[in-house]
Amino acid sequence: RGGGRGGSASGDRAPREGGREGAEGDRPRPMTVIPFEKAHNEKVEAINAQITALEAERNGIRPPRVEGEEKPPKSAEQIKREGLLDELKAIRPKKDALIEQRKALMAQVDKLKESFDKKKDEQSKAKSQGKFRSPEEVDSAIRELEEQMRASKLNLQEEKRLVGEIDNLKRSKKGLSSPDQAKKELDEIRATMNGNRDKATEIQKQINDFKAQEDTLRAQLDEMKNPAALQEKADRTERLKKIKEDLDKLYNERRELQTKFRDEKNAYLAKAREEREQARIKRLEENKKREEEYKAKQEAKQKEIEEYEASRPAWETEINTCDLLIGYLKPFVADETEAEAKDDKAKEAPKLDASAFGQGTFLRRKGDDDEELSGKKKKLASAKKPKAAAVRKLKHDPAVFEQFTLVGMTPPPSTAEAAATIKALEEKKAVYKVTPRPAKTSARARTEKPKEEKEEAKKEEKSEEVAGELEEAMAEEKKEEKKEEK
């Protein structure tokens, strides 16, 4: 057929844009399976089982306190023991306060003793080394030197020497005191020291009393102790300590396992992401290669089609369509002409006058009217009259409309316009025969045409396929007309 080679083959479909990437992006990516996750979970579950067992044992030894739970009532022994402990707690701060007070007194005694010894040493040194034994003697020596400075004419150097001696005497006077005064100061220091020692002794007696009370209370508490219960308590304490050590060890082991698994998982996922990215790049390259191959194949096909179109006569498809439509409309024109001829023949046929032959019997032919033979105006039910020529509306198949659209025309709505449409088709056919071939675009430009031009090209390529459907429609139309005539 004329346009049979146009268009792409059904088996040569263009690859989907983006390959599988578009489809994979529309649905969620499945989770990456970690191959070593199951072994890790088994190890963690084993550690958790050990932790659960140890915690259960610990709770059995020392049940956890439940918030809001009432404590059991205390026994008489417990009440007595708590009373003794309260007395011990009350004695301890009192005893500690007395101990601090005694320490403060003894610190004062030590300072007084140090001052006493220092003063006594100073007096002993002044008596053994100095020529003045009392402040009065020093004052007398100072007056003599001052009188000497007033009475004598001294040079500057001698005057400075006398001033220096006076100053030394005044300084030495500070370390001298009268024997009675020195003895009085030492006695006062000694009395203060003895008073503080007496107070410290009294405080020590009170401290000893408190210690005796503590010893009595501790003895009573020791009498209330049960050796078996104490041993049991010690064992429980030791077991709780061991359980705590084991739990800490298991917690650390689980933490290290989880940290190691997290690091290995992150490394594995990073590697998996890298492999997926490489696979995606490879798929993109393969899709690009397939698209290029497909485009090259389509360009080769299009080039072959253009070469074939160039070898065909100009407007061959349109001319064939005009011939096909003329053949489709001619039966409608023939039916109308035949109906008009029958109508004219019936009008021009001579009528027989039966009165000219008189009375008698007549032989009649098939089709003679009884009214004509008998001379009577009798109308029979079975008599046939010639049909008048009538305009009939035409119903066209959709394929017919497509063919008329291809040549830029519309099908006739009734038999009255059939002849004029045939004439217009013949004129259109004559124009196609003398019109030169239009310029063809390149294959790439043809693929980049607007959507409307592509649809026009598809219609032209489909015209040959519709021709067969048009012939079938013509045959069905003739069958319907025959049925109407009957």
PDB file of all heavy atoms in Angstrom, residues 142-174:
ATOM      1  N   ILE A 142      70.906  58.765 130.128  1.00  0.00           N
ATOM      2  CA  ILE A 142      70.444  59.599 128.992  1.00  0.00           C
ATOM      3  C   ILE A 142      70.526  61.076 129.350  1.00  0.00           C
ATOM      4  O   ILE A 142      70.952  61.921 128.534  1.00  0.00           O
ATOM      5  CB  ILE A 142      69.004  59.207 128.615  1.00  0.00           C
ATOM      6  CG1 ILE A 142      68.981  57.803 127.995  1.00  0.00           C
ATOM      7  CG2 ILE A 142      68.401  60.224 127.639  1.00  0.00           C
ATOM      8  CD1 ILE A 142      67.600  57.251 127.748  1.00  0.00           C
ATOM      9  N   ARG A 143      70.183  61.445 130.616  1.00  0.00           N
ATOM     10  CA  ARG A 143      70.232  62.846 131.031  1.00  0.00           C
ATOM     11  C   ARG A 143      71.678  63.364 131.022  1.00  0.00           C
ATOM     12  O   ARG A 143      71.946  64.500 130.638  1.00  0.00           O
ATOM     13  CB  ARG A 143      69.612  62.997 132.424  1.00  0.00           C
ATOM     14  CG  ARG A 143      68.091  62.961 132.404  1.00  0.00           C
ATOM     15  CD  ARG A 143      67.514  63.452 133.735  1.00  0.00           C
ATOM     16  NE  ARG A 143      67.917  62.600 134.863  1.00  0.00           N
ATOM     17  CZ  ARG A 143      67.224  61.551 135.266  1.00  0.00           C
ATOM     18  NH1 ARG A 143      66.104  61.187 134.635  1.00  0.00           N
ATOM     19  NH2 ARG A 143      67.658  60.866 136.300  1.00  0.00           N
ATOM     20  N   GLU A 144      72.586  62.524 131.468  1.00  0.00           N
ATOM     21  CA  GLU A 144      73.995  62.939 131.482  1.00  0.00           C
ATOM     22  C   GLU A 144      74.493  63.225 130.061  1.00  0.00           C
ATOM     23  O   GLU A 144      75.200  64.206 129.824  1.00  0.00           O
ATOM     24  CB  GLU A 144      74.842  61.856 132.125  1.00  0.00           C
ATOM     25  CG  GLU A 144      74.643  61.739 133.633  1.00  0.00           C
ATOM     26  CD  GLU A 144      75.484  60.629 134.245  1.00  0.00           C
ATOM     27  OE1 GLU A 144      76.238  59.967 133.461  1.00  0.00           O
ATOM     28  OE2 GLU A 144      75.401  60.406 135.443  1.00  0.00           O
ATOM     29  N   LEU A 145      74.161  62.371 129.115  1.00  0.00           N
ATOM     30  CA  LEU A 145      74.604  62.590 127.743  1.00  0.00           C
ATOM     31  C   LEU A 145      73.986  63.850 127.146  1.00  0.00           C
ATOM     32  O   LEU A 145      74.651  64.606 126.413  1.00  0.00           O
ATOM     33  CB  LEU A 145      74.244  61.368 126.884  1.00  0.00           C
ATOM     34  CG  LEU A 145      75.024  60.079 127.193  1.00  0.00           C
ATOM     35  CD1 LEU A 145      74.484  58.917 126.382  1.00  0.00           C
ATOM     36  CD2 LEU A 145      76.509  60.279 126.882  1.00  0.00           C
ATOM     37  N   GLU A 146      72.738  64.096 127.413  1.00  0.00           N
ATOM     38  CA  GLU A 146      72.080  65.296 126.901  1.00  0.00           C
ATOM     39  C   GLU A 146      72.703  66.554 127.502  1.00  0.00           C
ATOM     40  O   GLU A 146      72.893  67.578 126.810  1.00  0.00           O
ATOM     41  CB  GLU A 146      70.588  65.239 127.213  1.00  0.00           C
ATOM     42  CG  GLU A 146      69.848  64.194 126.399  1.00  0.00           C
ATOM     43  CD  GLU A 146      68.390  64.089 126.777  1.00  0.00           C
ATOM     44  OE1 GLU A 146      67.986  64.666 127.821  1.00  0.00           O
ATOM     45  OE2 GLU A 146      67.609  63.387 126.049  1.00  0.00           O
ATOM     46  N   GLU A 147      73.067  66.512 128.818  1.00  0.00           N
ATOM     47  CA  GLU A 147      73.709  67.661 129.463  1.00  0.00           C
ATOM     48  C   GLU A 147      75.095  67.915 128.859  1.00  0.00           C
ATOM     49  O   GLU A 147      75.504  69.067 128.643  1.00  0.00           O
ATOM     50  CB  GLU A 147      73.830  67.402 130.975  1.00  0.00           C
ATOM     51  CG  GLU A 147      74.399  68.552 131.758  1.00  0.00           C
ATOM     52  CD  GLU A 147      73.495  69.774 131.728  1.00  0.00           C
ATOM     53  OE1 GLU A 147      72.254  69.609 131.528  1.00  0.00           O
ATOM     54  OE2 GLU A 147      74.000  70.885 131.890  1.00  0.00           O
ATOM     55  N   GLN A 148      75.765  66.850 128.562  1.00  0.00           N
ATOM     56  CA  GLN A 148      77.091  66.983 127.939  1.00  0.00           C
ATOM     57  C   GLN A 148      76.968  67.651 126.568  1.00  0.00           C
ATOM     58  O   GLN A 148      77.821  68.463 126.189  1.00  0.00           O
ATOM     59  CB  GLN A 148      77.729  65.591 127.815  1.00  0.00           C
ATOM     60  CG  GLN A 148      79.148  65.644 127.289  1.00  0.00           C
ATOM     61  CD  GLN A 148      79.763  64.236 127.172  1.00  0.00           C
ATOM     62  OE1 GLN A 148      79.137  63.241 127.590  1.00  0.00           O
ATOM     63  NE2 GLN A 148      80.971  64.175 126.671  1.00  0.00           N
ATOM     64  N   MET A 149      75.956  67.350 125.792  1.00  0.00           N
ATOM     65  CA  MET A 149      75.768  67.957 124.464  1.00  0.00           C
ATOM     66  C   MET A 149      75.459  69.450 124.581  1.00  0.00           C
ATOM     67  O   MET A 149      75.907  70.255 123.754  1.00  0.00           O
ATOM     68  CB  MET A 149      74.619  67.262 123.717  1.00  0.00           C
ATOM     69  CG  MET A 149      74.960  65.869 123.275  1.00  0.00           C
ATOM     70  SD  MET A 149      73.544  65.068 122.475  1.00  0.00           S
ATOM     71  CE  MET A 149      73.360  66.160 121.064  1.00  0.00           C
ATOM     72  N   ARG A 150      74.741  69.845 125.644  1.00  0.00           N
ATOM     73  CA  ARG A 150      74.416  71.260 125.796  1.00  0.00           C
ATOM     74  C   ARG A 150      75.617  72.079 126.294  1.00  0.00           C
ATOM     75  O   ARG A 150      75.814  73.216 125.891  1.00  0.00           O
ATOM     76  CB  ARG A 150      73.237  71.419 126.780  1.00  0.00           C
ATOM     77  CG  ARG A 150      71.899  71.046 126.189  1.00  0.00           C
ATOM     78  CD  ARG A 150      70.750  71.517 127.078  1.00  0.00           C
ATOM     79  NE  ARG A 150      70.834  70.912 128.409  1.00  0.00           N
ATOM     80  CZ  ARG A 150      70.246  69.785 128.748  1.00  0.00           C
ATOM     81  NH1 ARG A 150      69.543  69.093 127.849  1.00  0.00           N
ATOM     82  NH2 ARG A 150      70.365  69.337 129.993  1.00  0.00           N
ATOM     83  N   ALA A 151      76.380  71.500 127.181  1.00  0.00           N
ATOM     84  CA  ALA A 151      77.461  72.257 127.812  1.00  0.00           C
ATOM     85  C   ALA A 151      78.722  72.316 126.962  1.00  0.00           C
ATOM     86  O   ALA A 151      79.483  73.291 127.020  1.00  0.00           O
ATOM     87  CB  ALA A 151      77.798  71.658 129.184  1.00  0.00           C
ATOM     88  N   SER A 152      78.998  71.366 126.207  1.00  0.00           N
ATOM     89  CA  SER A 152      80.248  71.277 125.446  1.00  0.00           C
ATOM     90  C   SER A 152      80.026  71.726 124.004  1.00  0.00           C
ATOM     91  O   SER A 152      78.918  71.658 123.479  1.00  0.00           O
ATOM     92  CB  SER A 152      80.790  69.846 125.468  1.00  0.00           C
ATOM     93  OG  SER A 152      80.977  69.419 126.785  1.00  0.00           O
ATOM     94  N   LYS A 153      81.158  72.228 123.458  1.00  0.00           N
ATOM     95  CA  LYS A 153      81.150  72.558 122.046  1.00  0.00           C
ATOM     96  C   LYS A 153      81.704  71.359 121.281  1.00  0.00           C
ATOM     97  O   LYS A 153      82.905  71.057 121.399  1.00  0.00           O
ATOM     98  CB  LYS A 153      81.996  73.787 121.766  1.00  0.00           C
ATOM     99  CG  LYS A 153      81.421  75.063 122.354  1.00  0.00           C
ATOM    100  CD  LYS A 153      82.278  76.246 121.991  1.00  0.00           C
ATOM    101  CE  LYS A 153      81.702  77.533 122.555  1.00  0.00           C
ATOM    102  NZ  LYS A 153      82.535  78.718 122.228  1.00  0.00           N
ATOM    103  N   LEU A 154      80.858  70.697 120.547  1.00  0.00           N
ATOM    104  CA  LEU A 154      81.232  69.456 119.851  1.00  0.00           C
ATOM    105  C   LEU A 154      81.182  69.693 118.353  1.00  0.00           C
ATOM    106  O   LEU A 154      80.399  70.492 117.849  1.00  0.00           O
ATOM    107  CB  LEU A 154      80.269  68.336 120.231  1.00  0.00           C
ATOM    108  CG  LEU A 154      80.169  68.000 121.740  1.00  0.00           C
ATOM    109  CD1 LEU A 154      79.063  66.979 121.957  1.00  0.00           C
ATOM    110  CD2 LEU A 154      81.494  67.479 122.272  1.00  0.00           C
ATOM    111  N   ASN A 155      82.079  68.986 117.720  1.00  0.00           N
ATOM    112  CA  ASN A 155      81.984  69.005 116.247  1.00  0.00           C
ATOM    113  C   ASN A 155      80.843  68.078 115.788  1.00  0.00           C
ATOM    114  O   ASN A 155      80.213  67.380 116.595  1.00  0.00           O
ATOM    115  CB  ASN A 155      83.314  68.597 115.623  1.00  0.00           C
ATOM    116  CG  ASN A 155      83.775  67.214 116.102  1.00  0.00           C
ATOM    117  OD1 ASN A 155      82.959  66.398 116.546  1.00  0.00           O
ATOM    118  ND2 ASN A 155      85.066  66.963 116.035  1.00  0.00           N
ATOM    119  N   LEU A 156      80.654  68.091 114.532  1.00  0.00           N
ATOM    120  CA  LEU A 156      79.496  67.338 113.987  1.00  0.00           C
ATOM    121  C   LEU A 156      79.628  65.837 114.222  1.00  0.00           C
ATOM    122  O   LEU A 156      78.656  65.161 114.560  1.00  0.00           O
ATOM    123  CB  LEU A 156      79.362  67.626 112.493  1.00  0.00           C
ATOM    124  CG  LEU A 156      78.178  66.948 111.772  1.00  0.00           C
ATOM    125  CD1 LEU A 156      76.872  67.423 112.385  1.00  0.00           C
ATOM    126  CD2 LEU A 156      78.227  67.285 110.288  1.00  0.00           C
ATOM    127  N   GLN A 157      80.816  65.300 114.096  1.00  0.00           N
ATOM    128  CA  GLN A 157      81.002  63.848 114.244  1.00  0.00           C
ATOM    129  C   GLN A 157      80.740  63.400 115.673  1.00  0.00           C
ATOM    130  O   GLN A 157      80.082  62.393 115.922  1.00  0.00           O
ATOM    131  CB  GLN A 157      82.423  63.485 113.811  1.00  0.00           C
ATOM    132  CG  GLN A 157      82.688  61.991 113.817  1.00  0.00           C
ATOM    133  CD  GLN A 157      84.064  61.662 113.281  1.00  0.00           C
ATOM    134  OE1 GLN A 157      84.867  62.595 112.967  1.00  0.00           O
ATOM    135  NE2 GLN A 157      84.385  60.394 113.199  1.00  0.00           N
ATOM    136  N   GLU A 158      81.222  64.187 116.668  1.00  0.00           N
ATOM    137  CA  GLU A 158      81.013  63.831 118.072  1.00  0.00           C
ATOM    138  C   GLU A 158      79.550  63.977 118.450  1.00  0.00           C
ATOM    139  O   GLU A 158      79.009  63.179 119.229  1.00  0.00           O
ATOM    140  CB  GLU A 158      81.886  64.732 118.959  1.00  0.00           C
ATOM    141  CG  GLU A 158      83.384  64.460 118.837  1.00  0.00           C
ATOM    142  CD  GLU A 158      84.213  65.395 119.690  1.00  0.00           C
ATOM    143  OE1 GLU A 158      83.601  66.359 120.223  1.00  0.00           O
ATOM    144  OE2 GLU A 158      85.408  65.165 119.828  1.00  0.00           O
ATOM    145  N   GLU A 159      78.903  64.980 117.862  1.00  0.00           N
ATOM    146  CA  GLU A 159      77.476  65.173 118.161  1.00  0.00           C
ATOM    147  C   GLU A 159      76.658  63.988 117.653  1.00  0.00           C
ATOM    148  O   GLU A 159      75.747  63.504 118.326  1.00  0.00           O
ATOM    149  CB  GLU A 159      77.006  66.479 117.527  1.00  0.00           C
ATOM    150  CG  GLU A 159      75.580  66.837 117.908  1.00  0.00           C
ATOM    151  CD  GLU A 159      75.179  68.168 117.321  1.00  0.00           C
ATOM    152  OE1 GLU A 159      76.021  68.879 116.706  1.00  0.00           O
ATOM    153  OE2 GLU A 159      73.982  68.516 117.442  1.00  0.00           O
ATOM    154  N   LYS A 160      76.974  63.490 116.464  1.00  0.00           N
ATOM    155  CA  LYS A 160      76.277  62.330 115.933  1.00  0.00           C
ATOM    156  C   LYS A 160      76.492  61.105 116.797  1.00  0.00           C
ATOM    157  O   LYS A 160      75.585  60.285 116.995  1.00  0.00           O
ATOM    158  CB  LYS A 160      76.737  62.037 114.510  1.00  0.00           C
ATOM    159  CG  LYS A 160      76.225  63.030 113.492  1.00  0.00           C
ATOM    160  CD  LYS A 160      76.681  62.621 112.085  1.00  0.00           C
ATOM    161  CE  LYS A 160      76.143  63.568 111.033  1.00  0.00           C
ATOM    162  NZ  LYS A 160      76.580  63.188 109.680  1.00  0.00           N
ATOM    163  N   ARG A 161      77.696  60.936 117.342  1.00  0.00           N
ATOM    164  CA  ARG A 161      77.984  59.778 118.197  1.00  0.00           C
ATOM    165  C   ARG A 161      77.139  59.823 119.455  1.00  0.00           C
ATOM    166  O   ARG A 161      76.569  58.803 119.872  1.00  0.00           O
ATOM    167  CB  ARG A 161      79.473  59.777 118.555  1.00  0.00           C
ATOM    168  CG  ARG A 161      79.886  58.590 119.426  1.00  0.00           C
ATOM    169  CD  ARG A 161      81.362  58.656 119.700  1.00  0.00           C
ATOM    170  NE  ARG A 161      81.706  59.886 120.423  1.00  0.00           N
ATOM    171  CZ  ARG A 161      81.496  60.053 121.733  1.00  0.00           C
ATOM    172  NH1 ARG A 161      80.950  59.108 122.472  1.00  0.00           N
ATOM    173  NH2 ARG A 161      81.836  61.202 122.307  1.00  0.00           N
ATOM    174  N   LEU A 162      76.979  60.993 120.067  1.00  0.00           N
ATOM    175  CA  LEU A 162      76.191  61.118 121.286  1.00  0.00           C
ATOM    176  C   LEU A 162      74.707  60.862 121.003  1.00  0.00           C
ATOM    177  O   LEU A 162      74.017  60.203 121.792  1.00  0.00           O
ATOM    178  CB  LEU A 162      76.385  62.507 121.900  1.00  0.00           C
ATOM    179  CG  LEU A 162      77.773  62.793 122.475  1.00  0.00           C
ATOM    180  CD1 LEU A 162      77.863  64.239 122.948  1.00  0.00           C
ATOM    181  CD2 LEU A 162      78.082  61.842 123.624  1.00  0.00           C
ATOM    182  N   VAL A 163      74.247  61.344 119.855  1.00  0.00           N
ATOM    183  CA  VAL A 163      72.838  61.107 119.499  1.00  0.00           C
ATOM    184  C   VAL A 163      72.597  59.613 119.319  1.00  0.00           C
ATOM    185  O   VAL A 163      71.569  59.056 119.734  1.00  0.00           O
ATOM    186  CB  VAL A 163      72.472  61.896 118.231  1.00  0.00           C
ATOM    187  CG1 VAL A 163      71.099  61.484 117.747  1.00  0.00           C
ATOM    188  CG2 VAL A 163      72.508  63.387 118.508  1.00  0.00           C
ATOM    189  N   GLY A 164      73.540  58.898 118.697  1.00  0.00           N
ATOM    190  CA  GLY A 164      73.398  57.451 118.520  1.00  0.00           C
ATOM    191  C   GLY A 164      73.350  56.719 119.834  1.00  0.00           C
ATOM    192  O   GLY A 164      72.574  55.776 120.021  1.00  0.00           O
ATOM    193  N   GLU A 165      74.198  57.133 120.814  1.00  0.00           N
ATOM    194  CA  GLU A 165      74.202  56.470 122.125  1.00  0.00           C
ATOM    195  C   GLU A 165      72.875  56.702 122.844  1.00  0.00           C
ATOM    196  O   GLU A 165      72.353  55.777 123.504  1.00  0.00           O
ATOM    197  CB  GLU A 165      75.357  57.011 122.954  1.00  0.00           C
ATOM    198  CG  GLU A 165      76.733  56.560 122.466  1.00  0.00           C
ATOM    199  CD  GLU A 165      77.872  57.105 123.326  1.00  0.00           C
ATOM    200  OE1 GLU A 165      77.546  57.799 124.312  1.00  0.00           O
ATOM    201  OE2 GLU A 165      79.016  56.799 123.021  1.00  0.00           O
ATOM    202  N   ILE A 166      72.356  57.933 122.754  1.00  0.00           N
ATOM    203  CA  ILE A 166      71.068  58.230 123.402  1.00  0.00           C
ATOM    204  C   ILE A 166      69.965  57.331 122.822  1.00  0.00           C
ATOM    205  O   ILE A 166      69.142  56.778 123.563  1.00  0.00           O
ATOM    206  CB  ILE A 166      70.734  59.710 123.241  1.00  0.00           C
ATOM    207  CG1 ILE A 166      71.710  60.564 124.069  1.00  0.00           C
ATOM    208  CG2 ILE A 166      69.298  59.992 123.671  1.00  0.00           C
ATOM    209  CD1 ILE A 166      71.605  62.058 123.791  1.00  0.00           C
ATOM    210  N   ASP A 167      69.980  57.186 121.497  1.00  0.00           N
ATOM    211  CA  ASP A 167      68.951  56.335 120.871  1.00  0.00           C
ATOM    212  C   ASP A 167      69.091  54.882 121.317  1.00  0.00           C
ATOM    213  O   ASP A 167      68.092  54.196 121.564  1.00  0.00           O
ATOM    214  CB  ASP A 167      69.079  56.417 119.354  1.00  0.00           C
ATOM    215  CG  ASP A 167      68.673  57.799 118.823  1.00  0.00           C
ATOM    216  OD1 ASP A 167      67.907  58.483 119.526  1.00  0.00           O
ATOM    217  OD2 ASP A 167      69.067  58.133 117.682  1.00  0.00           O
ATOM    218  N   ASN A 168      70.304  54.386 121.429  1.00  0.00           N
ATOM    219  CA  ASN A 168      70.505  53.005 121.876  1.00  0.00           C
ATOM    220  C   ASN A 168      70.014  52.810 123.300  1.00  0.00           C
ATOM    221  O   ASN A 168      69.428  51.768 123.626  1.00  0.00           O
ATOM    222  CB  ASN A 168      71.987  52.644 121.787  1.00  0.00           C
ATOM    223  CG  ASN A 168      72.460  52.547 120.331  1.00  0.00           C
ATOM    224  OD1 ASN A 168      71.659  52.239 119.435  1.00  0.00           O
ATOM    225  ND2 ASN A 168      73.733  52.806 120.092  1.00  0.00           N
ATOM    226  N   LEU A 169      70.264  53.828 124.164  1.00  0.00           N
ATOM    227  CA  LEU A 169      69.798  53.717 125.549  1.00  0.00           C
ATOM    228  C   LEU A 169      68.269  53.689 125.619  1.00  0.00           C
ATOM    229  O   LEU A 169      67.689  52.942 126.402  1.00  0.00           O
ATOM    230  CB  LEU A 169      70.353  54.886 126.378  1.00  0.00           C
ATOM    231  CG  LEU A 169      71.865  54.852 126.671  1.00  0.00           C
ATOM    232  CD1 LEU A 169      72.323  56.143 127.349  1.00  0.00           C
ATOM    233  CD2 LEU A 169      72.223  53.651 127.553  1.00  0.00           C
ATOM    234  N   LYS A 170      67.657  54.512 124.784  1.00  0.00           N
ATOM    235  CA  LYS A 170      66.187  54.527 124.785  1.00  0.00           C
ATOM    236  C   LYS A 170      65.623  53.181 124.322  1.00  0.00           C
ATOM    237  O   LYS A 170      64.614  52.703 124.840  1.00  0.00           O
ATOM    238  CB  LYS A 170      65.679  55.641 123.874  1.00  0.00           C
ATOM    239  CG  LYS A 170      65.899  57.041 124.465  1.00  0.00           C
ATOM    240  CD  LYS A 170      65.367  58.103 123.515  1.00  0.00           C
ATOM    241  CE  LYS A 170      65.560  59.501 124.100  1.00  0.00           C
ATOM    242  NZ  LYS A 170      65.056  60.570 123.211  1.00  0.00           N
ATOM    243  N   ARG A 171      66.286  52.563 123.305  1.00  0.00           N
ATOM    244  CA  ARG A 171      65.816  51.262 122.837  1.00  0.00           C
ATOM    245  C   ARG A 171      66.034  50.184 123.886  1.00  0.00           C
ATOM    246  O   ARG A 171      65.206  49.299 124.047  1.00  0.00           O
ATOM    247  CB  ARG A 171      66.527  50.888 121.537  1.00  0.00           C
ATOM    248  CG  ARG A 171      65.980  51.631 120.319  1.00  0.00           C
ATOM    249  CD  ARG A 171      66.440  50.961 119.031  1.00  0.00           C
ATOM    250  NE  ARG A 171      67.892  51.032 118.890  1.00  0.00           N
ATOM    251  CZ  ARG A 171      68.529  52.027 118.294  1.00  0.00           C
ATOM    252  NH1 ARG A 171      67.856  53.051 117.806  1.00  0.00           N
ATOM    253  NH2 ARG A 171      69.845  52.019 118.204  1.00  0.00           N
ATOM    254  N   SER A 172      67.132  50.237 124.578  1.00  0.00           N
ATOM    255  CA  SER A 172      67.401  49.212 125.592  1.00  0.00           C
ATOM    256  C   SER A 172      66.496  49.349 126.791  1.00  0.00           C
ATOM    257  O   SER A 172      66.270  48.397 127.531  1.00  0.00           O
ATOM    258  CB  SER A 172      68.883  49.310 126.040  1.00  0.00           C
ATOM    259  OG  SER A 172      69.127  50.545 126.693  1.00  0.00           O
ATOM    260  N   LYS A 173      65.932  50.543 126.966  1.00  0.00           N
ATOM    261  CA  LYS A 173      65.047  50.766 128.099  1.00  0.00           C
ATOM    262  C   LYS A 173      63.772  49.934 127.977  1.00  0.00           C
ATOM    263  O   LYS A 173      63.178  49.539 128.980  1.00  0.00           O
ATOM    264  CB  LYS A 173      64.727  52.256 128.173  1.00  0.00           C
ATOM    265  CG  LYS A 173      63.807  52.635 129.320  1.00  0.00           C
ATOM    266  CD  LYS A 173      63.503  54.116 129.284  1.00  0.00           C
ATOM    267  CE  LYS A 173      62.508  54.474 130.386  1.00  0.00           C
ATOM    268  NZ  LYS A 173      62.155  55.913 130.366  1.00  0.00           N
ATOM    269  N   LYS A 174      63.358  49.685 126.690  1.00  0.00           N
ATOM    270  CA  LYS A 174      62.116  48.933 126.479  1.00  0.00           C
ATOM    271  C   LYS A 174      62.227  47.514 127.003  1.00  0.00           C
ATOM    272  O   LYS A 174      61.239  46.912 127.423  1.00  0.00           O
ATOM    273  CB  LYS A 174      61.771  48.889 124.998  1.00  0.00           C
ATOM    274  CG  LYS A 174      61.455  50.267 124.431  1.00  0.00           C
ATOM    275  CD  LYS A 174      61.151  50.172 122.943  1.00  0.00           C
ATOM    276  CE  LYS A 174      60.846  51.539 122.358  1.00  0.00           C
ATOM    277  NZ  LYS A 174      60.560  51.470 120.917  1.00  0.00           N
TER     278      LYS A 174
END
